[in-house]
Amino acid sequence: MRKLLIIMLAALFVIPATNVQAQYRKKKETTEIIKEGNNKRLWLRNNADTSWHPTPGGLYEQVTLADASKKGKKTEPIIDLGGKHKVRRTAYDTVWKFTTFDAKKFYFVDYNYNNFRPLKWLKDDKRNWGTFDPVMDYLRSAGRIPMHLCAVFSVNPTITDQDERDELIARAQMEALISLDYFRDILIELEMKNKISYKVAEIDWRYWQDEDYYNEPQPQDAVIRVGLICDFSSKKIDLLPSAARDAQSFADIKFFANDATVQKSYALELDNIANYLKQETGLEVLLTGYCDNVGTEAYNMGLSRQRAVEVKKALMMRGIDEHRIEVIAKGEDDPVGDNNTLGGRSANNRVTVTIQ
C-alpha cells in the first residue's frame, strides 16, 4: 500500500513535468519554410505549429500558424526566391486616382502593405486605405476580376553583412506573407470574389530608385517596405521585368593562368561595352570574376576578384562612372570548362560581363 501511494505521488509530479517539457519543445518549433523543387517558390509547411510573426513595431513574436495561413486551406506558393530584382520604379505606372486600370500595364502603389493587418480589425466604413484606395474602389466596382498583387521590400543597401541580410530577408518575407493573408481575410469579409494571386519579392533599392538614390535622402530602416505592384490581367506574367531584358550581350574577358592583367587584345571589346553604357544611361554592368581550380580556394577567390576589378578600372578609364559597375568574385565556382584539361582551365579564367 505504501509503495502504491509513493508511485501515485510520483506520478502527480512527473507527468505534469513531462507535459511542460513537451509544451516547451512545441513552442520552440517554428513554421518551416521549404523549397518546392526548382521553381524558386516557398511553401509554408501546413503541419507546423508556430510561425514568426512580425508586430507593427517591427519586433517578432511566436503566433499560431492559423494566424499566418488559415488551417484547412491549402497554402499557396506566393513568395518569390529570385533574389534582388534589378527593376526600376519608372517601369511602372503610378496609382493615383484611377477608376479603371489597363490590363496591359503594371501599376505601383506607394503603400505600406503592413497596414493591412490593423485594418483587418476595423469595419469597412472606418477603414482608411490611403494610397491603396483607388485599387479598392476598382475591386468594389469591377465585380469578379483577376488581379496579381506583389508585396515588394528591400534590404537597405548600406547593410553589407550577408548573415544579417539573410536574416532580414527571411523576416521581411514572412512579414509580407502574413500581411497579404490579412488582406485576403478582409476581401473575404467584404464578400469580394475577385480572383487574386499573391507574391512577395525582394528588390534592389539602389536600382529601384535609379538616379534618386544619389540625389535624394534615403530611408534608414533596415528593411524598406517599398509598396505593392498590381496587374489586372488573367495572364501569368512576370511582375518584375528586368530593365535590361533586351540588353546587348558581350563576350567574356579571358585571362592567362595565375594572372589578372587585362590583355590589349580586349581593348575594342571594352570600348564597345563602354559606348553601349554611355548610350543606355539607365543600365549598369555586373562584372563576375572566375578562375580555374589550381591553387587554394582563398587564393583563387582573391584572384577572381582582382580580375573583375581590373576590368572595372578599364571601363572607368573609358568614362563609365564607378557606381554603374558592380563587381563580384566567384573563384572556382561555376566552371565552363574541364579543369582537368589545359583548354578547360583556360576557359575558366574569365570575367563575365552582364548588363543589368
Side-chain angles (χ1 to χ4, degrees), residues 31 44 48-56 61-71 73 117 120-121 174-185:
T31 299
L44 277 176
D49 296 306
T50 57
S51 158
W52 286 105
H53 185 169
T55 63
E61 60 183 349
Q62 282 188 320
V63 296
T64 63
L65 180 62
D67 192 46
S69 181
K70 303 299 173 287
K71 290 182 179 178
K73 180 182 67 177
R117 295 169 56 207
K120 179 182 184 299
W121 310 112
M174 183 60 73
E175 176 188 66
L177 172 62
I178 295 172
S179 297
L180 289 177
D181 211 52
Y182 278 120
F183 180 58
R184 188 200 306 267
D185 287 346

Side-chain angles (χ1 to χ4, degrees), residues 164-327:
E164 182 180 0
R165 292 186 67 86
D166 290 344
E167 181 180 356
L168 290 170
I169 289 169
R171 291 185 176 186
Q173 287 173 335
M174 183 60 73
E175 176 188 66
L177 172 62
I178 295 172
S179 297
L180 289 177
D181 211 52
Y182 278 120
F183 180 58
R184 188 200 306 267
D185 287 346
I186 295 173
L187 294 186
I188 293 173
E189 177 198 327
L190 297 177
E191 298 182 350
M192 298 174 71
K193 305 298 183 180
N194 309 86
K195 186 179 180 181
I196 300 179
S197 64
Y198 302 91
K199 287 184 70 176
V200 176
E202 177 201 2
I203 58 114
D204 187 315
W205 179 250
R206 186 170 62 94
Y207 280 85
W208 178 261
Q209 289 289 88
D210 203 7
E211 294 182 1
D212 290 342
Y213 180 75
Y214 304 98
N215 301 326
E216 296 182 357
Q218 298 301 310
Q220 301 301 309
D221 300 332
V223 173
I224 304 167
R225 300 184 189 100
V226 181
L228 295 155
I229 294 173
C230 307
D231 169 72
F232 298 89
S233 70
S234 57
K235 298 179 180 179
K236 292 183 178 180
I237 39 80
D238 182 7
L239 288 172
L240 300 150
S242 171
R245 173 184 289 176
D246 300 318
Q248 184 175 333
S249 59
F250 294 92
D252 297 347
I253 309 296
K254 299 292 184 61
F255 290 82
F256 290 123
N258 195 33
D259 186 73
T261 304
V262 180
Q263 300 303 307
K264 292 181 180 180
S265 58
Y266 286 102
L268 180 59
E269 183 72 4
L270 290 167
D271 289 342
N272 291 336
I273 296 171
N275 291 334
Y276 182 75
L277 290 172
K278 289 175 182 177
Q279 294 172 6
E280 303 291 338
T281 56
L283 300 179
E284 300 180 4
V285 62
L286 169 65
L287 303 174
T288 308
Y290 298 90
C291 63
D292 57 36
N293 66 349
V294 178
T296 66
E297 184 176 344
Y299 174 80
N300 288 334
M301 185 63 73
L303 177 60
S304 65
R305 178 174 295 280
Q306 188 58 41
R307 286 171 171 171
V309 168
E310 292 301 319
V311 177
K312 175 180 178 179
K313 290 178 181 178
L315 290 176
M316 290 175 61
M317 289 178 63
R318 288 165 169 78
I320 305 303
D321 293 334
E322 183 176 6
H323 72 263
R324 297 182 64 195
I325 307 172
E326 184 179 354
V327 169

